[in-house]
Amino acid sequence: MGRWLPRAMGEPRAAAVRAVAAVVLGAGACYCLWRLAAGGRRGQQAAAGAARGPPSDNSPPVSTHTMDADALQKLIHLLQATDDPLIQEQALITLSNSAAFSVNQDIIRNLDGLFVIGGMLSDCIPKVKEKALNALSNLSMNIKNQEEIQVYITQVCRNVESAPLNSDLQLAGLRLLTNMSVTRDYHHKMIDSIPCFFHLLSEGNERMQIQVLKVLVNLSANPAMTRHLLKAQVPSFLLLFDNYINRDILLRALTFAANLKKNVNNEGGTMIQDQYSEDSVFFTLCRDSTPFAQKLASLLHHPDTEVKEQVVRILTQ
């Protein structure tokens, strides 16, 4: 891996870097055209539970019309050779776009691209970190890539916690954590960030709530995470279960609750109630459950079929 070059590099070298950047970044234009065309055809996913299969909202297209290994290597070298944030952003955007094609996910890994992109997470410029997170998110659709990306989970969690509320940087971090939490392999790396996730659920806007609930639903599907989730302090948790709540938020909140209730029941009564405070998720769902039961009874009349299915799932456990 090359060293970061100082901003005061000589004019000839700076001009050369920009010239290479102009040529290589132009390769992303074809992808952008495909994205615009495909975007109009792609419907939104309705899944409220943990993602199954590839851990992204959209399956990557398989195409021979992708950037070749030489162009990708130039992009990666470009990231190492410049500290110009505008060039870094564009290079990361192009790598992110190229990673939507499955063949490129392996190529970028084999060129040590994951290591180079991961290094950008410590950059002081939020936009650069955001674009690095987006690139890693697309690259994390590959299981082998996840094995390398997992070393950055703790840093990603720190970025999410320190980013401004509802910012694009925060959302980019959560999208990567959503992909990385599809399997149970790396859940333990997110335990310390559970209070942050619930804070974002309570204070964030609807877009933030939906994204953080995707992470929480994935974590709740793992029985080993149950106690950590039940201990979380969420005084406003019950407010998520009203009829007027955005359907995507409500459905995921119900799925999260149903997963936890199932895990608690499977514990066979071994949960020690004294370890949970009155503001905890445990008290809302299990200890003082009358208000929650009343909410569920009202939701049985919700017009959405999937919402009612999750309500029935909770009530019949």
Side-chain angles (χ1 to χ4, degrees):
M1 177 177 176
R3 299 173 65 87
W4 295 109
L5 298 180
R7 185 175 297 278
M9 70 172 89
E11 280 303 315
R13 179 60 185 276
V17 168
R18 284 178 169 80
V20 173
V23 173
V24 176
L25 298 183
C30 293
Y31 172 84
C32 293
L33 292 174
W34 169 81
R35 189 80 170 184
L36 287 171
R41 299 192 300 266
R42 188 183 296 120
Q44 295 182 346
Q45 284 193 333
R52 297 294 177 240
S56 77
D57 286 342
N58 302 304
S59 298
V62 178
S63 172
T64 57
H65 303 293
T66 59
M67 296 179 66
D68 60 24
D70 183 61
L72 290 170
Q73 186 171 47
K74 288 178 180 177
L75 267 177
I76 294 167
H77 286 169
L78 182 62
L79 278 177
Q80 296 174 284
T82 181
D83 63 352
D84 185 323
L86 294 178
I87 293 179
Q88 289 173 339
E89 282 187 51
Q90 292 304 313
L92 287 166
I93 289 171
T94 306
L95 283 169
S96 179
N97 289 343
S98 69
F101 297 99
S102 57
V103 63
N104 288 340
Q105 295 169 13
D106 292 323
I107 294 174
I108 292 171
R109 181 185 70 252
N110 293 333
L111 292 172
D112 290 332
L114 299 178
F115 178 72
V116 175
I117 297 170
M120 309 299 289
L121 297 180
S122 59
D123 196 282
C124 61
I125 299 176
K127 277 295 182 183
V128 173
K129 284 195 285 193
E130 176 199 334
K131 298 304 186 291
L133 287 166
N134 288 339
L136 290 176
S137 185
N138 279 354
L139 288 161
S140 67
M141 294 185 287
N142 180 308
I143 295 299
K144 289 185 178 179
N145 285 356
Q146 284 196 1
E147 294 173 0
E148 295 192 20
I149 294 172
Q150 58 92 12
V151 302
Y152 301 109
I153 288 178
T154 301
Q155 188 170 0
V156 173
C157 288
R158 286 199 300 265
N159 286 342
V160 169
E161 293 177 27
S162 62
L165 181 64
N166 300 324
S167 64
D168 289 338
L169 174 58
Q170 203 168 54
L171 285 166
L174 288 171
R175 282 193 291 270
L176 176 55
L177 293 178
T178 300
N179 288 356
M180 295 299 295
S181 62
V182 170
T183 66
R184 301 176 182 183
D185 297 343
Y186 313 117
H187 285 183
H188 63 283
K189 291 177 173 285
M190 304 180 198
I191 289 174
D192 290 342
S193 293
I194 288 175
C196 169
F197 297 154
F198 280 107
H199 171 74
L200 297 179
L201 183 60
S202 298
E203 302 297 329
N205 58 23
E206 288 190 348
R207 192 167 62 141
M208 177 61 61
Q209 289 178 310
I210 290 171
Q211 195 62 56
V212 77
L213 275 168
K214 290 180 180 181
V215 178
L216 289 172
V217 166
N218 285 353
L219 296 180
S220 69
N222 181 0
M225 297 295 292
T226 302
R227 292 175 184 269
H228 301 290
L229 294 167
L230 290 175
K231 287 193 296 185
Q233 309 292 300
V234 197
S236 60
F237 187 58
L238 200 60
L239 299 178
L240 294 173
F241 302 96
D242 282 322
N243 276 290
Y244 65 83
I245 294 293
N246 177 303
R247 180 258 184 197
D248 289 332
I249 295 173
L250 177 60
L251 184 55
R252 287 179 171 86
L254 287 167
T255 304
F256 172 76
N259 287 347
L260 289 182
K261 290 281 284 184
K262 176 184 177 181
N263 294 342
V264 169
N265 290 341
N266 289 343
E267 286 274 346
T270 61
M271 291 284 182
I272 302 174
Q273 297 186 14
D274 291 343
Q275 66 182 282
Y276 302 105
S277 73
E278 292 186 4
D279 287 334
S280 67
V281 173
F282 176 84
F283 259 68
T284 299
L285 298 183
C286 306
R287 180 68 177 270
D288 186 18
S289 59
T290 300
F292 183 54
Q294 292 172 343
K295 296 279 189 180
L296 294 177
S298 176
L299 288 173
L300 284 172
H301 304 287
H302 196 280
D304 187 87
T305 301
E306 289 185 86
V307 167
K308 288 186 284 192
E309 286 176 352
Q310 290 300 321
V311 171
V312 171
R313 181 184 168 209
I314 295 172
L315 292 174
T316 55
Q317 289 181 10

